[in-house]
Amino acid sequence: MSKSIKKWGYGVLFAVLMGTLTLSGCSSTNQDASGNSNSESAKPSGSPEVTVDHSPYELKWLKAQDISLPYDPSKDAVKQAIETKLNIKIVPEMVDVQQYKTKLNLKMASSDIPDVTKIDFADDFQKYAQQGAFVDLTDLINEKDTPNILKEVPLEVFEQAKVNGRIYGIPYQGGPGAGYRWDLVMRKDYLEQAGTSMPNTLDEYYNLLKKVKEQHPDVNPLGGYTSQIGQVKYANNSFDNVFGAFSVTPGFFTEKDGKFSNYDIDPQMRDALLFLQKMYKEGLIDKEFSTIKEEQLRAKIFNGKVFSWMGWWSTASDYDTQIETNELIKSGKLAKEGSLPNQADQPFKYLALTGSLVGADGAAVAPMGAPFSQMNAISAKTKDPKRVLSIIEDSMSDENQMLTVWGIEGQDYTIVDGKLKTNTTLIDPKTQQDPSGNFRGTQSYLFAPGLKGWPRYLESLPLRFSESLGVAINNKYQITDASNYLDSPTKITKLTELNTMRDSVFTQIIMGADINKFDDFVEKWKSQGGNQILSELEASFQKKAGK
């Protein structure tokens, strides 16, 4: 919900993401005709001796590092374990996190390029790919040779990552940070009093809201709040599930057979607005949704004046504790200024969470962010591109991801009752070393894309965070904006203006304005830059596909 809470959630749980890439080695083992494994290729009798190179493959690595903290790669226990496991020798060059992009661009200009480069997709990657800086992987990425890579990065994502119709790198996100991150949150006690189970459809939800209003006249069945002008107001907060049940989400562009449109002008958006207008008229939506700020909505939630709302995944844990605190104060079981301890590892007491509601056709949409922000690209200067790709491929096995993401089992993490627990006391915060004097660069040397989350990621979180994030990222109705990674100068200059117009018109309609305002909005959207954006996106789409 709030930007500050969103940033807190990422900061606490994704701080490790500044580490670079994931690895894994290739086997040099072959089989003879009887199926027995040999460390050297089978040789016909009398043939000259074949020398097999078993030496570790040397991999140049540009490592982003907080230089204010002590670190010595030669004493990194996790790095050494990765090198042994993958039969590689990592040659790291340290660069301050804040200077990584500058340093990388200097290296690209001088052709002193690391063997694998983690690089921002939006500008630098596309530029350098077209200049021939990276290996063309188009014919090397396939189910036979790179099954682990394709398990982590679906073909449709590779399509979005293409430059002029070719694959020059492997998309990287770094943990589950781009997908859908919102839950429909409800007061569990009010839900139980209504005598119904968690709704799955929009109609079930609508009937539940009516029942809650009957039982609790002073409670807002659905709470909402205003957002800043020009933001995607409804797609990611107040009415996300209602729009989604009509298979639309404000602000997102769509593509079919190379032709583009936008959900803001979709006929089903008109139907969704009419449904919201009906809900508002019946008192099922907070009358103040268009004027109050988020902190005011929070106050209503904590005081029991809201039954349901769209919640950013990381807020649920604290909200549950705040609601419990207020309830205990009301009953006199807790002093007015009292507080409860951190309850992140306890089950939710007052909140129930669910994913998308489906419409009458059983469909829904949930707007997720762009699936990746960076690329891992193999330098055209590397001595053996196929070997490097095989290292990346092997690194994405489940076993090797566990090593590169979480470190050494029994040291950096343990499996307790079938769940992963990270060791939070192993490192001395002052020296950054373990009791044996080793540094432990978990998530420092990895290629694991993280588009779907790293292995056992949810297990590593406190219970409430694991549950709330799990509901969000496992939402099967997630969709991406079709304009991601495409060029449109008009979109840059005009989209905020179009979004502001949309916010105003949609708010008016929800609060009772004539639905014909939507038809007028569609025409204005098209004539005031929308059609030009669609045309530019289509041209960029064709160019990206190499057509």
Side-chain angles (χ1 to χ4, degrees), residues 16-17 19-24 61 82 90 116 118 172 174-175 376 392 395-396 400-401 403-406 441-450 454:
V16 293
L17 302 185
T20 31
L21 322 161
T22 315
L23 307 173
S24 196
W61 199 279
I82 292 171
I90 300 172
V116 181
K118 188 178 77 172
Y172 175 89
N376 282 329
I392 297 174
S395 78
M396 293 191 196
N400 288 328
Q401 284 197 58
L403 173 61
T404 56
V405 173
W406 301 117
T442 56
Q443 299 177 11
S444 288
Y445 303 96
L446 60 86
F447 294 120
W454 288 325

PDB file of all heavy atoms in Angstrom, residues 16-17 19-24 61 82 90 116 118 172 174-175 376 392 395-396 400-401 403-406 441-450 454:
ATOM      1  N   VAL A  16      19.568  -8.481  -0.120  1.00  0.00           N
ATOM      2  CA  VAL A  16      20.610  -9.359  -0.640  1.00  0.00           C
ATOM      3  C   VAL A  16      20.714  -9.301  -2.156  1.00  0.00           C
ATOM      4  O   VAL A  16      21.618  -9.896  -2.732  1.00  0.00           O
ATOM      5  CB  VAL A  16      20.331 -10.807  -0.220  1.00  0.00           C
ATOM      6  CG1 VAL A  16      20.464 -10.967   1.260  1.00  0.00           C
ATOM      7  CG2 VAL A  16      18.958 -11.245  -0.676  1.00  0.00           C
ATOM      8  N   LEU A  17      19.807  -8.590  -2.824  1.00  0.00           N
ATOM      9  CA  LEU A  17      19.747  -8.691  -4.270  1.00  0.00           C
ATOM     10  C   LEU A  17      20.851  -7.940  -4.992  1.00  0.00           C
ATOM     11  O   LEU A  17      20.949  -7.999  -6.207  1.00  0.00           O
ATOM     12  CB  LEU A  17      18.388  -8.189  -4.781  1.00  0.00           C
ATOM     13  CG  LEU A  17      17.208  -8.936  -4.181  1.00  0.00           C
ATOM     14  CD1 LEU A  17      15.920  -8.471  -4.808  1.00  0.00           C
ATOM     15  CD2 LEU A  17      17.366 -10.423  -4.369  1.00  0.00           C
ATOM     16  N   GLY A  19      23.843  -8.662  -4.846  1.00  0.00           N
ATOM     17  CA  GLY A  19      24.826  -9.621  -5.304  1.00  0.00           C
ATOM     18  C   GLY A  19      24.651  -9.860  -6.786  1.00  0.00           C
ATOM     19  O   GLY A  19      23.565  -9.728  -7.294  1.00  0.00           O
ATOM     20  N   THR A  20      25.732 -10.220  -7.459  1.00  0.00           N
ATOM     21  CA  THR A  20      25.623 -10.415  -8.906  1.00  0.00           C
ATOM     22  C   THR A  20      25.041 -11.767  -9.273  1.00  0.00           C
ATOM     23  O   THR A  20      23.894 -11.982  -9.080  1.00  0.00           O
ATOM     24  CB  THR A  20      26.962 -10.126  -9.595  1.00  0.00           C
ATOM     25  OG1 THR A  20      28.005 -10.452  -8.718  1.00  0.00           O
ATOM     26  CG2 THR A  20      27.095  -8.710  -9.968  1.00  0.00           C
ATOM     27  N   LEU A  21      25.600 -12.780  -9.744  1.00  0.00           N
ATOM     28  CA  LEU A  21      25.018 -13.789 -10.618  1.00  0.00           C
ATOM     29  C   LEU A  21      25.090 -15.242 -10.058  1.00  0.00           C
ATOM     30  O   LEU A  21      25.673 -15.470  -9.048  1.00  0.00           O
ATOM     31  CB  LEU A  21      25.752 -13.667 -11.949  1.00  0.00           C
ATOM     32  CG  LEU A  21      26.074 -12.243 -12.358  1.00  0.00           C
ATOM     33  CD1 LEU A  21      27.185 -12.184 -13.404  1.00  0.00           C
ATOM     34  CD2 LEU A  21      24.900 -11.515 -12.865  1.00  0.00           C
ATOM     35  N   THR A  22      24.499 -16.364 -10.646  1.00  0.00           N
ATOM     36  CA  THR A  22      24.578 -17.759 -10.131  1.00  0.00           C
ATOM     37  C   THR A  22      25.297 -18.701 -11.081  1.00  0.00           C
ATOM     38  O   THR A  22      25.124 -18.561 -12.234  1.00  0.00           O
ATOM     39  CB  THR A  22      23.194 -18.384  -9.945  1.00  0.00           C
ATOM     40  OG1 THR A  22      22.400 -17.487  -9.329  1.00  0.00           O
ATOM     41  CG2 THR A  22      23.249 -19.675  -9.247  1.00  0.00           C
ATOM     42  N   LEU A  23      26.004 -19.678 -10.596  1.00  0.00           N
ATOM     43  CA  LEU A  23      26.836 -20.517 -11.437  1.00  0.00           C
ATOM     44  C   LEU A  23      26.587 -21.993 -11.242  1.00  0.00           C
ATOM     45  O   LEU A  23      26.061 -22.429 -10.274  1.00  0.00           O
ATOM     46  CB  LEU A  23      28.313 -20.270 -11.090  1.00  0.00           C
ATOM     47  CG  LEU A  23      28.730 -18.850 -11.115  1.00  0.00           C
ATOM     48  CD1 LEU A  23      30.124 -18.723 -10.603  1.00  0.00           C
ATOM     49  CD2 LEU A  23      28.639 -18.300 -12.476  1.00  0.00           C
ATOM     50  N   SER A  24      27.149 -22.751 -12.145  1.00  0.00           N
ATOM     51  CA  SER A  24      27.157 -24.190 -11.943  1.00  0.00           C
ATOM     52  C   SER A  24      28.008 -24.837 -12.999  1.00  0.00           C
ATOM     53  O   SER A  24      28.091 -24.356 -14.095  1.00  0.00           O
ATOM     54  CB  SER A  24      25.743 -24.672 -12.018  1.00  0.00           C
ATOM     55  OG  SER A  24      25.595 -25.916 -11.498  1.00  0.00           O
ATOM     56  N   TRP A  61      34.995 -11.676 -13.340  1.00  0.00           N
ATOM     57  CA  TRP A  61      33.772 -11.297 -12.638  1.00  0.00           C
ATOM     58  C   TRP A  61      33.852  -9.854 -12.139  1.00  0.00           C
ATOM     59  O   TRP A  61      34.810  -9.499 -11.455  1.00  0.00           O
ATOM     60  CB  TRP A  61      33.590 -12.223 -11.432  1.00  0.00           C
ATOM     61  CG  TRP A  61      32.202 -12.272 -10.886  1.00  0.00           C
ATOM     62  CD1 TRP A  61      31.617 -11.380 -10.036  1.00  0.00           C
ATOM     63  CD2 TRP A  61      31.231 -13.268 -11.158  1.00  0.00           C
ATOM     64  NE1 TRP A  61      30.332 -11.761  -9.758  1.00  0.00           N
ATOM     65  CE2 TRP A  61      30.072 -12.921 -10.434  1.00  0.00           C
ATOM     66  CE3 TRP A  61      31.234 -14.419 -11.934  1.00  0.00           C
ATOM     67  CZ2 TRP A  61      28.914 -13.695 -10.469  1.00  0.00           C
ATOM     68  CZ3 TRP A  61      30.088 -15.188 -11.965  1.00  0.00           C
ATOM     69  CH2 TRP A  61      28.942 -14.821 -11.244  1.00  0.00           C
ATOM     70  N   ILE A  82      31.602 -22.710  -4.387  1.00  0.00           N
ATOM     71  CA  ILE A  82      31.044 -22.616  -5.739  1.00  0.00           C
ATOM     72  C   ILE A  82      32.101 -23.002  -6.776  1.00  0.00           C
ATOM     73  O   ILE A  82      31.829 -23.746  -7.723  1.00  0.00           O
ATOM     74  CB  ILE A  82      30.522 -21.191  -6.005  1.00  0.00           C
ATOM     75  CG1 ILE A  82      29.294 -20.899  -5.137  1.00  0.00           C
ATOM     76  CG2 ILE A  82      30.187 -21.000  -7.481  1.00  0.00           C
ATOM     77  CD1 ILE A  82      28.846 -19.449  -5.163  1.00  0.00           C
ATOM     78  N   ILE A  90      36.874 -18.156 -10.195  1.00  0.00           N
ATOM     79  CA  ILE A  90      36.307 -16.821 -10.325  1.00  0.00           C
ATOM     80  C   ILE A  90      37.401 -15.793 -10.058  1.00  0.00           C
ATOM     81  O   ILE A  90      38.079 -15.837  -9.027  1.00  0.00           O
ATOM     82  CB  ILE A  90      35.134 -16.611  -9.352  1.00  0.00           C
ATOM     83  CG1 ILE A  90      34.027 -17.633  -9.625  1.00  0.00           C
ATOM     84  CG2 ILE A  90      34.588 -15.202  -9.460  1.00  0.00           C
ATOM     85  CD1 ILE A  90      32.909 -17.636  -8.591  1.00  0.00           C
ATOM     86  N   VAL A 116      30.852 -12.751 -18.113  1.00  0.00           N
ATOM     87  CA  VAL A 116      29.395 -12.595 -18.060  1.00  0.00           C
ATOM     88  C   VAL A 116      29.103 -11.241 -17.440  1.00  0.00           C
ATOM     89  O   VAL A 116      29.665 -10.882 -16.404  1.00  0.00           O
ATOM     90  CB  VAL A 116      28.724 -13.709 -17.234  1.00  0.00           C
ATOM     91  CG1 VAL A 116      27.208 -13.515 -17.220  1.00  0.00           C
ATOM     92  CG2 VAL A 116      29.058 -15.074 -17.810  1.00  0.00           C
ATOM     93  N   LYS A 118      26.258  -8.574 -15.964  1.00  0.00           N
ATOM     94  CA  LYS A 118      24.903  -8.247 -15.521  1.00  0.00           C
ATOM     95  C   LYS A 118      24.675  -6.781 -15.835  1.00  0.00           C
ATOM     96  O   LYS A 118      25.365  -5.905 -15.319  1.00  0.00           O
ATOM     97  CB  LYS A 118      24.714  -8.510 -14.035  1.00  0.00           C
ATOM     98  CG  LYS A 118      23.248  -8.362 -13.593  1.00  0.00           C
ATOM     99  CD  LYS A 118      23.050  -8.670 -12.122  1.00  0.00           C
ATOM    100  CE  LYS A 118      23.511  -7.510 -11.264  1.00  0.00           C
ATOM    101  NZ  LYS A 118      23.157  -7.696  -9.840  1.00  0.00           N
ATOM    102  N   TYR A 172      17.252 -11.425 -15.956  1.00  0.00           N
ATOM    103  CA  TYR A 172      17.585 -11.543 -14.529  1.00  0.00           C
ATOM    104  C   TYR A 172      16.722 -10.566 -13.742  1.00  0.00           C
ATOM    105  O   TYR A 172      16.584  -9.400 -14.117  1.00  0.00           O
ATOM    106  CB  TYR A 172      19.061 -11.209 -14.323  1.00  0.00           C
ATOM    107  CG  TYR A 172      19.512 -11.169 -12.877  1.00  0.00           C
ATOM    108  CD1 TYR A 172      19.969 -12.315 -12.238  1.00  0.00           C
ATOM    109  CD2 TYR A 172      19.494  -9.984 -12.149  1.00  0.00           C
ATOM    110  CE1 TYR A 172      20.394 -12.290 -10.913  1.00  0.00           C
ATOM    111  CE2 TYR A 172      19.907  -9.937 -10.834  1.00  0.00           C
ATOM    112  CZ  TYR A 172      20.362 -11.085 -10.212  1.00  0.00           C
ATOM    113  OH  TYR A 172      20.765 -11.035  -8.907  1.00  0.00           O
ATOM    114  N   GLY A 174      16.424 -11.239  -9.889  1.00  0.00           N
ATOM    115  CA  GLY A 174      17.027 -11.248  -8.562  1.00  0.00           C
ATOM    116  C   GLY A 174      16.015 -11.443  -7.451  1.00  0.00           C
ATOM    117  O   GLY A 174      15.805 -10.554  -6.626  1.00  0.00           O
ATOM    118  N   GLY A 175      15.363 -12.600  -7.416  1.00  0.00           N
ATOM    119  CA  GLY A 175      14.349 -12.843  -6.397  1.00  0.00           C
ATOM    120  C   GLY A 175      12.985 -12.417  -6.889  1.00  0.00           C
ATOM    121  O   GLY A 175      12.858 -11.758  -7.920  1.00  0.00           O
ATOM    122  N   ASN A 376      21.854 -11.120 -18.030  1.00  0.00           N
ATOM    123  CA  ASN A 376      23.179 -11.724 -17.933  1.00  0.00           C
ATOM    124  C   ASN A 376      23.605 -12.063 -19.349  1.00  0.00           C
ATOM    125  O   ASN A 376      23.000 -12.925 -19.998  1.00  0.00           O
ATOM    126  CB  ASN A 376      23.140 -12.992 -17.075  1.00  0.00           C
ATOM    127  CG  ASN A 376      23.110 -12.668 -15.602  1.00  0.00           C
ATOM    128  OD1 ASN A 376      23.657 -11.666 -15.176  1.00  0.00           O
ATOM    129  ND2 ASN A 376      22.465 -13.527 -14.817  1.00  0.00           N
ATOM    130  N   ILE A 392      26.450 -21.579 -16.834  1.00  0.00           N
ATOM    131  CA  ILE A 392      25.202 -20.925 -16.429  1.00  0.00           C
ATOM    132  C   ILE A 392      24.076 -21.950 -16.357  1.00  0.00           C
ATOM    133  O   ILE A 392      23.293 -21.973 -15.406  1.00  0.00           O
ATOM    134  CB  ILE A 392      24.839 -19.797 -17.414  1.00  0.00           C
ATOM    135  CG1 ILE A 392      25.900 -18.703 -17.395  1.00  0.00           C
ATOM    136  CG2 ILE A 392      23.461 -19.208 -17.077  1.00  0.00           C
ATOM    137  CD1 ILE A 392      25.698 -17.623 -18.441  1.00  0.00           C
ATOM    138  N   SER A 395      24.436 -24.158 -13.381  1.00  0.00           N
ATOM    139  CA  SER A 395      24.236 -23.394 -12.149  1.00  0.00           C
ATOM    140  C   SER A 395      22.775 -23.295 -11.756  1.00  0.00           C
ATOM    141  O   SER A 395      22.454 -22.990 -10.616  1.00  0.00           O
ATOM    142  CB  SER A 395      24.815 -21.990 -12.310  1.00  0.00           C
ATOM    143  OG  SER A 395      23.964 -21.157 -13.066  1.00  0.00           O
ATOM    144  N   MET A 396      21.889 -23.537 -12.715  1.00  0.00           N
ATOM    145  CA  MET A 396      20.466 -23.378 -12.442  1.00  0.00           C
ATOM    146  C   MET A 396      19.784 -24.677 -12.045  1.00  0.00           C
ATOM    147  O   MET A 396      18.557 -24.728 -11.924  1.00  0.00           O
ATOM    148  CB  MET A 396      19.778 -22.745 -13.641  1.00  0.00           C
ATOM    149  CG  MET A 396      20.222 -21.314 -13.866  1.00  0.00           C
ATOM    150  SD  MET A 396      19.213 -20.464 -15.074  1.00  0.00           S
ATOM    151  CE  MET A 396      20.273 -19.073 -15.449  1.00  0.00           C
ATOM    152  N   ASN A 400      22.465 -26.597  -7.262  1.00  0.00           N
ATOM    153  CA  ASN A 400      23.451 -25.531  -7.368  1.00  0.00           C
ATOM    154  C   ASN A 400      22.868 -24.158  -7.062  1.00  0.00           C
ATOM    155  O   ASN A 400      23.583 -23.268  -6.598  1.00  0.00           O
ATOM    156  CB  ASN A 400      24.087 -25.558  -8.751  1.00  0.00           C
ATOM    157  CG  ASN A 400      25.023 -26.735  -8.914  1.00  0.00           C
ATOM    158  OD1 ASN A 400      25.650 -27.165  -7.954  1.00  0.00           O
ATOM    159  ND2 ASN A 400      25.091 -27.294 -10.113  1.00  0.00           N
ATOM    160  N   GLN A 401      21.577 -23.979  -7.310  1.00  0.00           N
ATOM    161  CA  GLN A 401      20.948 -22.727  -6.883  1.00  0.00           C
ATOM    162  C   GLN A 401      20.942 -22.623  -5.362  1.00  0.00           C
ATOM    163  O   GLN A 401      21.112 -21.537  -4.805  1.00  0.00           O
ATOM    164  CB  GLN A 401      19.525 -22.626  -7.428  1.00  0.00           C
ATOM    165  CG  GLN A 401      19.450 -22.263  -8.898  1.00  0.00           C
ATOM    166  CD  GLN A 401      18.064 -21.781  -9.301  1.00  0.00           C
ATOM    167  OE1 GLN A 401      17.544 -20.823  -8.751  1.00  0.00           O
ATOM    168  NE2 GLN A 401      17.470 -22.448 -10.277  1.00  0.00           N
ATOM    169  N   LEU A 403      23.206 -23.633  -3.379  1.00  0.00           N
ATOM    170  CA  LEU A 403      24.542 -23.200  -2.982  1.00  0.00           C
ATOM    171  C   LEU A 403      24.768 -21.730  -3.299  1.00  0.00           C
ATOM    172  O   LEU A 403      25.230 -20.967  -2.442  1.00  0.00           O
ATOM    173  CB  LEU A 403      25.595 -24.058  -3.692  1.00  0.00           C
ATOM    174  CG  LEU A 403      27.056 -23.616  -3.518  1.00  0.00           C
ATOM    175  CD1 LEU A 403      27.460 -23.640  -2.056  1.00  0.00           C
ATOM    176  CD2 LEU A 403      27.980 -24.490  -4.359  1.00  0.00           C
ATOM    177  N   THR A 404      24.445 -21.319  -4.527  1.00  0.00           N
ATOM    178  CA  THR A 404      24.767 -19.947  -4.925  1.00  0.00           C
ATOM    179  C   THR A 404      23.839 -18.912  -4.304  1.00  0.00           C
ATOM    180  O   THR A 404      24.222 -17.760  -4.129  1.00  0.00           O
ATOM    181  CB  THR A 404      24.741 -19.819  -6.458  1.00  0.00           C
ATOM    182  OG1 THR A 404      23.464 -20.250  -6.941  1.00  0.00           O
ATOM    183  CG2 THR A 404      25.827 -20.670  -7.100  1.00  0.00           C
ATOM    184  N   VAL A 405      22.612 -19.310  -3.988  1.00  0.00           N
ATOM    185  CA  VAL A 405      21.668 -18.376  -3.377  1.00  0.00           C
ATOM    186  C   VAL A 405      21.779 -18.374  -1.861  1.00  0.00           C
ATOM    187  O   VAL A 405      21.849 -17.309  -1.232  1.00  0.00           O
ATOM    188  CB  VAL A 405      20.215 -18.720  -3.793  1.00  0.00           C
ATOM    189  CG1 VAL A 405      19.223 -17.842  -3.020  1.00  0.00           C
ATOM    190  CG2 VAL A 405      20.028 -18.514  -5.288  1.00  0.00           C
ATOM    191  N   TRP A 406      21.831 -19.568  -1.247  1.00  0.00           N
ATOM    192  CA  TRP A 406      21.759 -19.653   0.214  1.00  0.00           C
ATOM    193  C   TRP A 406      23.081 -19.993   0.887  1.00  0.00           C
ATOM    194  O   TRP A 406      23.217 -19.823   2.091  1.00  0.00           O
ATOM    195  CB  TRP A 406      20.700 -20.687   0.622  1.00  0.00           C
ATOM    196  CG  TRP A 406      19.333 -20.365   0.115  1.00  0.00           C
ATOM    197  CD1 TRP A 406      18.581 -21.092  -0.759  1.00  0.00           C
ATOM    198  CD2 TRP A 406      18.545 -19.211   0.431  1.00  0.00           C
ATOM    199  NE1 TRP A 406      17.383 -20.474  -1.012  1.00  0.00           N
ATOM    200  CE2 TRP A 406      17.331 -19.303  -0.290  1.00  0.00           C
ATOM    201  CE3 TRP A 406      18.751 -18.097   1.245  1.00  0.00           C
ATOM    202  CZ2 TRP A 406      16.329 -18.340  -0.217  1.00  0.00           C
ATOM    203  CZ3 TRP A 406      17.754 -17.138   1.322  1.00  0.00           C
ATOM    204  CH2 TRP A 406      16.568 -17.269   0.592  1.00  0.00           C
ATOM    205  N   GLY A 441      30.076 -14.823   0.932  1.00  0.00           N
ATOM    206  CA  GLY A 441      29.378 -14.051  -0.095  1.00  0.00           C
ATOM    207  C   GLY A 441      28.191 -14.763  -0.702  1.00  0.00           C
ATOM    208  O   GLY A 441      28.160 -15.023  -1.909  1.00  0.00           O
ATOM    209  N   THR A 442      27.206 -15.109   0.127  1.00  0.00           N
ATOM    210  CA  THR A 442      25.987 -15.711  -0.431  1.00  0.00           C
ATOM    211  C   THR A 442      25.313 -14.680  -1.333  1.00  0.00           C
ATOM    212  O   THR A 442      25.267 -13.491  -1.028  1.00  0.00           O
ATOM    213  CB  THR A 442      25.011 -16.151   0.670  1.00  0.00           C
ATOM    214  OG1 THR A 442      24.717 -15.040   1.505  1.00  0.00           O
ATOM    215  CG2 THR A 442      25.616 -17.265   1.503  1.00  0.00           C
ATOM    216  N   GLN A 443      24.807 -15.153  -2.459  1.00  0.00           N
ATOM    217  CA  GLN A 443      24.145 -14.324  -3.460  1.00  0.00           C
ATOM    218  C   GLN A 443      25.090 -13.289  -4.057  1.00  0.00           C
ATOM    219  O   GLN A 443      24.651 -12.264  -4.583  1.00  0.00           O
ATOM    220  CB  GLN A 443      22.885 -13.679  -2.880  1.00  0.00           C
ATOM    221  CG  GLN A 443      21.876 -14.710  -2.426  1.00  0.00           C
ATOM    222  CD  GLN A 443      20.644 -14.143  -1.783  1.00  0.00           C
ATOM    223  OE1 GLN A 443      20.412 -12.951  -1.842  1.00  0.00           O
ATOM    224  NE2 GLN A 443      19.864 -14.996  -1.151  1.00  0.00           N
ATOM    225  N   SER A 444      26.378 -13.555  -4.006  1.00  0.00           N
ATOM    226  CA  SER A 444      27.357 -12.662  -4.622  1.00  0.00           C
ATOM    227  C   SER A 444      27.834 -13.177  -5.971  1.00  0.00           C
ATOM    228  O   SER A 444      28.229 -12.394  -6.820  1.00  0.00           O
ATOM    229  CB  SER A 444      28.568 -12.496  -3.703  1.00  0.00           C
ATOM    230  OG  SER A 444      28.263 -11.716  -2.575  1.00  0.00           O
ATOM    231  N   TYR A 445      27.817 -14.494  -6.148  1.00  0.00           N
ATOM    232  CA  TYR A 445      28.312 -15.087  -7.381  1.00  0.00           C
ATOM    233  C   TYR A 445      27.242 -16.027  -7.918  1.00  0.00           C
ATOM    234  O   TYR A 445      27.297 -17.246  -7.743  1.00  0.00           O
ATOM    235  CB  TYR A 445      29.610 -15.851  -7.109  1.00  0.00           C
ATOM    236  CG  TYR A 445      30.694 -14.997  -6.494  1.00  0.00           C
ATOM    237  CD1 TYR A 445      30.900 -14.977  -5.118  1.00  0.00           C
ATOM    238  CD2 TYR A 445      31.500 -14.184  -7.291  1.00  0.00           C
ATOM    239  CE1 TYR A 445      31.893 -14.183  -4.551  1.00  0.00           C
ATOM    240  CE2 TYR A 445      32.491 -13.380  -6.731  1.00  0.00           C
ATOM    241  CZ  TYR A 445      32.678 -13.383  -5.361  1.00  0.00           C
ATOM    242  OH  TYR A 445      33.657 -12.587  -4.809  1.00  0.00           O
ATOM    243  N   LEU A 446      26.250 -15.443  -8.551  1.00  0.00           N
ATOM    244  CA  LEU A 446      25.137 -16.274  -9.018  1.00  0.00           C
ATOM    245  C   LEU A 446      24.547 -15.761 -10.314  1.00  0.00           C
ATOM    246  O   LEU A 446      24.630 -14.590 -10.638  1.00  0.00           O
ATOM    247  CB  LEU A 446      24.056 -16.369  -7.945  1.00  0.00           C
ATOM    248  CG  LEU A 446      23.359 -15.099  -7.436  1.00  0.00           C
ATOM    249  CD1 LEU A 446      22.183 -14.745  -8.333  1.00  0.00           C
ATOM    250  CD2 LEU A 446      22.879 -15.294  -6.024  1.00  0.00           C
ATOM    251  N   PHE A 447      23.958 -16.697 -11.068  1.00  0.00           N
ATOM    252  CA  PHE A 447      23.233 -16.372 -12.291  1.00  0.00           C
ATOM    253  C   PHE A 447      21.724 -16.605 -12.139  1.00  0.00           C
ATOM    254  O   PHE A 447      20.971 -16.299 -13.042  1.00  0.00           O
ATOM    255  CB  PHE A 447      23.721 -17.240 -13.453  1.00  0.00           C
ATOM    256  CG  PHE A 447      25.136 -17.003 -13.872  1.00  0.00           C
ATOM    257  CD1 PHE A 447      26.062 -18.025 -13.831  1.00  0.00           C
ATOM    258  CD2 PHE A 447      25.548 -15.757 -14.315  1.00  0.00           C
ATOM    259  CE1 PHE A 447      27.381 -17.824 -14.219  1.00  0.00           C
ATOM    260  CE2 PHE A 447      26.854 -15.542 -14.710  1.00  0.00           C
ATOM    261  CZ  PHE A 447      27.775 -16.570 -14.663  1.00  0.00           C
ATOM    262  N   ALA A 448      21.302 -17.233 -11.053  1.00  0.00           N
ATOM    263  CA  ALA A 448      19.888 -17.611 -10.891  1.00  0.00           C
ATOM    264  C   ALA A 448      18.991 -16.407 -11.168  1.00  0.00           C
ATOM    265  O   ALA A 448      19.062 -15.415 -10.452  1.00  0.00           O
ATOM    266  CB  ALA A 448      19.649 -18.132  -9.481  1.00  0.00           C
ATOM    267  N   PRO A 449      18.131 -16.470 -12.196  1.00  0.00           N
ATOM    268  CA  PRO A 449      17.345 -15.309 -12.612  1.00  0.00           C
ATOM    269  C   PRO A 449      16.404 -14.777 -11.544  1.00  0.00           C
ATOM    270  O   PRO A 449      16.199 -13.577 -11.419  1.00  0.00           O
ATOM    271  CB  PRO A 449      16.555 -15.814 -13.824  1.00  0.00           C
ATOM    272  CG  PRO A 449      17.339 -16.984 -14.314  1.00  0.00           C
ATOM    273  CD  PRO A 449      17.924 -17.614 -13.089  1.00  0.00           C
ATOM    274  N   GLY A 450      15.804 -15.687 -10.765  1.00  0.00           N
ATOM    275  CA  GLY A 450      14.892 -15.240  -9.713  1.00  0.00           C
ATOM    276  C   GLY A 450      13.559 -14.737 -10.211  1.00  0.00           C
ATOM    277  O   GLY A 450      12.802 -14.136  -9.459  1.00  0.00           O
ATOM    278  N   TRP A 454      13.618 -17.510  -5.937  1.00  0.00           N
ATOM    279  CA  TRP A 454      14.687 -18.491  -5.785  1.00  0.00           C
ATOM    280  C   TRP A 454      14.169 -19.725  -5.051  1.00  0.00           C
ATOM    281  O   TRP A 454      13.141 -19.663  -4.371  1.00  0.00           O
ATOM    282  CB  TRP A 454      15.847 -17.856  -5.038  1.00  0.00           C
ATOM    283  CG  TRP A 454      16.590 -16.855  -5.863  1.00  0.00           C
ATOM    284  CD1 TRP A 454      16.809 -16.925  -7.210  1.00  0.00           C
ATOM    285  CD2 TRP A 454      17.212 -15.651  -5.419  1.00  0.00           C
ATOM    286  NE1 TRP A 454      17.538 -15.834  -7.620  1.00  0.00           N
ATOM    287  CE2 TRP A 454      17.800 -15.030  -6.541  1.00  0.00           C
ATOM    288  CE3 TRP A 454      17.350 -15.028  -4.176  1.00  0.00           C
ATOM    289  CZ2 TRP A 454      18.503 -13.841  -6.459  1.00  0.00           C
ATOM    290  CZ3 TRP A 454      18.041 -13.841  -4.098  1.00  0.00           C
ATOM    291  CH2 TRP A 454      18.617 -13.262  -5.224  1.00  0.00           C
TER     292      TRP A 454
END
